[in-house]
Each structure stands twice: as structure tokens, then as C-alpha cells.
Amino acid sequence: MALVTPTLLSIRRDPRLLKVPPYLSVLCVVVGVIWLLLLPLNDYSRHTYISENALLPGQVHTYVGGSEQNIFRAYRREVEALAGNRTEEIVEKLESIFKSTGLKTARQKYEYASSGKPFAGENVYSILHAPRGDATEAIVLVAAWTNMEGELNQSGIALVLTLARYFKRWSLWSKDIIFLIAGDSRAGPQAWVDAYHDSHAPSSVAPLPLKSGALQGALVIDYAMNHRFDSLHIVYDGINGQLPNLDLFNTAVNIAGGQMGIKVALQQMWRHDDGYRARLRTMLRGMFNQGLGHASGPHSSFIPYHVDAITLQAVGEGWQDEMAMGRTVESIFRSLNNLLEHFHQSFFFYLLMQAHRFVSIGTYLPSAMLVAVNFTIMAIALWVQSGRQKAPNIASTTKKSDEPPDVDVIKQNGMVAVVPTEITAIAERHMFLPLTFVIGVHFLGAVPLYIFNHCSEEASLLTPFPAMTPTFLLLTLINFLLPYLLTLLLTTYTPPTQQQLLLVKSFSLLLLGMFLSALATLNFSLAFLVGLLSSPLSFVRPMPAHKTAAALAGLALNALAPTAVLAAGAWFWAADVGDVLVEAAWGWNVWGMRTQVVVWCVWWPAWVTGQVLLAASFAGRREVEGGEVDAGGESKKRR
């Protein structure tokens, strides 16, 4: 065994082993992408199904129709007449309609400020107390005065008013029903649900004078047209990538598509042939919306409070009328009324390929984990490399001179081995500078995070920062110069050694892999997208002997900077960068969106560190002092 142990230690110190991690890292990224691309296939996705048997979707006969259609048309004319009036007049009229049906009614005012602009509105709602309930549970029917596109939700509001009158006549309800007419789709539902759970800011959102029991679910109607529609677009994405329970989505699909015969679409895929490309596009659109983390509709405000909610959006022009929408809503509410407990049986983490096909978290999560683990593999390899001296000659462990070599006696598990000291020498890692730099860069990400969330949309003397677009352009320029300035400071005051540069990259990649692995379990899409855009950072290193290659790599890495990706995305979707940042600031200040934290405090620091390493190619550095990685066991040095 004494003859075998030195050989094993020599192989363990073989510098050729450090050439494996980069290839392994590339393999992880490639396999992760391929894994994702395989998900739309039938072998990797599953047909949707109802897990909660008590829902019984589509098992009841619906009765909305007849005289209710005349009532609906009368309400729609009244809503159209209110268009353009003051908020106070609109709320008074809606409140009077609710009161005329015999429901308890209340109002709520709210006022938010974001990007230097105030935004005020008022909600009106009423509560139908369940004849067979004890006011401990409730479901919510929502229609905003304007939808997410700013259009008057005339038919949606009229339908809620009609259903409030219609539901009042039935005695079968075991849960209270709350009818909410929000002042708008962006702030109104958020203010209402915050106040319902006593999580609102009293300075900007008024408390609710009327409440019911725990909210079991919410359904939003977006019907901003005065003609028949063709299909229902089900919107289900929540804030920060959260999703409603899959049973609620499946219930709506079964009722609309099965019981009512209405075509169902999702992720704006109006024509879906159920082929591989259509499934892949639907899945990628869903991932993009989840990755952004923004609110896709009024329902998104309910999901962070564990209230499962979706939006039914009428689209197209066809032969489905308002009563078809009403019967769909009635049947969904009859199913929700059957719930004995909160949604919990089905999935909360999933990717939808089409209305009847999905992938659960156990199937898609490995793709993001593989992308994230490539950073960890490279971080460990760099840590090992940072503790090594010049590699010993594996073919011979003796010196060419007559002087006997330095050797160590290693005792382990009752065995003794004599090995050259150059194999077992332990290198001292100088970690203060690398740790300080990496931690400092991550804290530096709080600067753009604060600026973009508090920047004004327009220049003003009352706001701390000027207009959004000039601020973005200025920070983009600073973002380009910052790595070179940091490199200049490092090389001027504390020139880093080669070992310290390896440790800087190791710590940066270790943090990036750790953050993305944890994020993948909460927001898979955001973790996968950031990991994929950051994957080149695993292979960035100082190249003092190849300055031209370092310069080209720096330019290529600039194209993957968060600011560059934001500008490219805005150009691709024909949006103004300033408008995108204003929307992101609104999400931060009102919706509680936290995508910016990942961008500026996880992705951006890793990118800056990668650029600093490339910039170090143009600056001199001291040679590393240190030795080999440590060998296990107890050692004694002798000559």
C-alpha cells in the first residue's frame, strides 16, 4: 500500500484533471438546454387532470340566460354612459346598482406614487353572504373598470352586475361571494387584496369597511367589447412567477371547452395545432412571462396571498355571446362552491404546453439545475487550482541532482507512505482581497436597484433623479466603464496575484450557482434565463498573453450585460426602454415584484466580475506564491 499511495496522490495532483471541469461545465449547459427542448414531447409531458374530486367541473346545469340577457344589456348601456365621467360619479352609480340588489356595499380609495407620478382610484365592492355558510370562506368575482390595455371593460362590468343580481336569488351557496369592481386593473385589485389581508400602507390605501372569510379563489372577467367573442384566453401568470393551483386552470378549461364548447387559448397562442413547435412556443412564452415576474392581469395580485386566481379574457369575433361567458362563470363558481378546503391537491409549479398538456416541476427542474451547477463545478475547480504550485513531474519523483529530495511521511488508517513534499505541500490562500471585492460588487448592485426604482419618468425638481431614459443611458455608459475603473483601482493600490484572481472568479461563480439553484425552486423561468445568459462567465479568465482575444471577449461579454439585454429586448418588442423601466418600477412599488433584485444583485455583480477578470489582461499582476493542495492525513517533513 505504501507503493500505491504516492501514485494515487500524484494522480490526484495531476494538472490534467483541471482540464476536465470546463468541458463538464459546457456539457451541463448543453444538456440543460436539450432537456428543456425535449419537454414538449409526449414522452416528457402529461395530459392535464383534476386532482380535487370535489370540484366536479361541468357536472351542474347552468341557468344564466333569458331575462338575464336583457338585464345585462341594460347594465352595459349604463356603463357606457358612465365612460368619461368623474371617478366619484362612476362609483356612486355602481354602488347604487349593488344596493338595489340587496347586497352590502362598500368603497375603498387608494393612491400610489411611482416614477414621480401619483396614481389614484377607488374600488367598489359588495358581499353576498352565503345562505348555507358561516362567513368563514369567500370567493371573489372581479371586473376592473379598465383592463390591462386601458380599454373600458364594459361587458365585463355589466356581467358582474348581472351575476350579482342573479346569484342573489340562489340559496345553494356555501361560501360568501364578493363582487369587486376595481378602479383599474393595475392598482385597484392590489390595493383591495392588500387591505383585505391588512397588509396595506394606511397612508396610501384605505382600509376595507366590509370583509368576509378567508378567500378560497378569485375569478376575473376581462370582456372589453360589445359584440360576440370567439374564444376565451385564460391568463394565469402571477407576480414573481407564482402560479395558481393547476386544478383551478383545469376546471376553467374543462367547463369552457367541454361543457360550454368555447375555444380556449393561453399565452396569446390563438392558433394552436398541438404540434411540437406550437407547444414549445407556448411553453417559452409562459417562461418569459414568469421570468419577468410582472402582473399579467388583475388576478396576479391575489396569488401572493395564496388565493388562486385566473383571468377569463374574451378575444376575437365569433358566435359566443355574453350569456356563454355568464354560464361559464356560473359553472366555475358552482365548482368552487363545492370545495371543502383550500386548493392543495394539484400542482403549484408547472409549465403549460397547451390547454390540456403540462409539465410538472419534477420533470423540468433538472434543466435549470444543470445550468446552475455548471457555475459550481467551475468554482470548485478554481478553488483547487488556486492552491496549487507548479505541477510536479509525474513520471519521476526524484530530483536530477545528487541532493536527496524533500519528502513527507504520511500516516493514514494505520498505513505509512513516503511521498515528495512537492506533492503534499499546502498552499496558503490569500482570501481577504477576493472576498472583499466579490462582496463589495454584490452590495454595489443596490445602487442601480435603488436608482431605477426611484427614478422619475420625467425630469422634475421634486424627484431625486432625472428622466428614466437619460438615466438608463448614463448608467449604461458607467456600466461599460466600471469594470476597467475597478481593475485600475485594484492594480494601483492592491495588485492582485494570479491566485487572488482565481479566487475572485471562484467566489463569484459559487455565489451565482448558489443563488440560481435556490431561485430555480421558486421561479424556474427566471433562474434558467439568467443562468443561460450568464453561462459564458464560467469560461472568462485573464489572458495577458492574448490581449486581442481578451478585448474581443470583453466586447462579446458587453452584449450580454443586463443593460444590453434590456435594450435588445425593448427593441425586439418595439417598446421604449424608458417605458419598460417605468413598468418595472411600478411593479416594485405597487405589486411587490422582485425580479430587479435578481438582475442587479445576482446577475449584474457576476457580469462585472467577469469583465474585471478580462480587464486584468491589460494590467500587470504579481505572481502567486503558494503550494500544492493539501493531502489527507497526518504529515511529517524530513530531509
Side-chain angles (χ1 to χ4, degrees), residues 255-531:
I255 290 173
Q259 183 182 14
M260 303 300 166
I262 304 174
K263 291 188 293 184
V264 176
L266 63 153
Q267 300 299 343
Q268 299 182 359
M269 291 290 293
W270 312 125
R271 296 181 180 178
H272 201 298
D273 59 3
D274 200 25
Y276 174 81
R277 296 185 64 181
R279 289 184 181 183
L280 181 62
R281 288 184 63 190
T282 305
M283 182 187 72
L284 293 179
R285 287 188 179 191
M287 288 180 59
F288 180 75
N289 284 328
Q290 293 173 35
L292 289 179
H294 66 122
S296 57
H299 69 280
S300 301
S301 300
F302 290 85
I303 298 178
Y305 290 96
H306 304 288
V307 180
D308 301 288
I310 57 174
T311 293
L312 301 181
Q313 184 180 35
V315 295
E317 186 169 355
W319 59 276
Q320 302 289 350
D321 63 359
E322 55 273 2
M323 290 300 101
M325 174 74 87
R327 287 189 293 271
T328 301
V329 174
E330 179 190 1
S331 187
I332 293 176
F333 266 63
R334 293 283 296 274
S335 292
L336 294 178
N337 191 58
N338 293 335
L339 277 178
L340 301 177
E341 50 189 336
H342 201 81
F343 279 109
H344 68 284
Q345 293 276 9
S346 193
F347 298 94
F348 288 95
F349 299 94
Y350 52 86
L351 294 176
L352 287 168
M353 312 293 169
Q354 52 118 312
H356 299 282
R357 205 84 191 171
F358 82 104
V359 176
S360 65
I361 185 172
T363 306
Y364 67 71
L365 186 61
S367 60
M369 287 300 184
L370 284 169
V371 175
V373 80
N374 98 87
F375 303 113
T376 306
I377 291 173
M378 288 301 298
I380 295 173
L382 291 167
W383 172 263
V384 173
Q385 186 179 353
S386 68
R388 290 197 172 190
Q389 279 183 324
K390 183 179 179 180
N393 186 0
I394 302 173
S396 174
T397 58
T398 60
K399 296 184 179 179
K400 294 182 179 180
S401 62
D402 296 333
E403 182 180 354
D406 294 341
V407 294
D408 284 352
V409 177
I410 299 178
K411 297 179 180 179
Q412 187 176 17
N413 298 328
M415 295 177 290
V416 179
V418 179
V419 297
T421 300
E422 62 184 357
I423 293 180
T424 60
I426 300 175
E428 180 183 358
R429 292 181 175 88
H430 304 279
M431 296 190 296
F432 178 76
L433 178 62
L435 282 174
T436 303
F437 177 82
V438 173
I439 294 174
V441 170
H442 278 78
F443 276 106
L444 190 62
V447 175
L449 176 67
Y450 177 83
I451 289 176
F452 284 124
N453 289 328
H454 296 81
C455 183
S456 174
E457 184 177 0
E458 298 177 356
S460 172
L461 297 176
L462 302 178
T463 53
F465 303 103
M468 189 71 79
T469 302
T471 303
F472 173 77
L473 296 176
L474 177 61
L475 287 179
T476 301
L477 177 61
I478 295 174
N479 191 58
F480 178 78
L481 299 175
L482 181 62
Y484 302 98
L485 295 175
L486 292 176
T487 304
L488 181 62
L489 290 174
L490 283 176
T491 55
T492 302
Y493 296 101
T494 55
T497 64
Q498 183 182 5
Q499 182 198 64
Q500 289 172 327
L501 291 178
L502 290 174
L503 289 173
V504 166
K505 182 179 177 182
S506 175
F507 294 151
S508 177
L509 293 180
L510 187 64
L511 285 176
L512 182 60
M514 180 181 66
F515 287 143
L516 293 182
S517 298
L519 180 64
T521 61
L522 301 175
N523 191 338
F524 161 83
S525 303
L526 181 58
F528 184 86
L529 294 174
V530 172

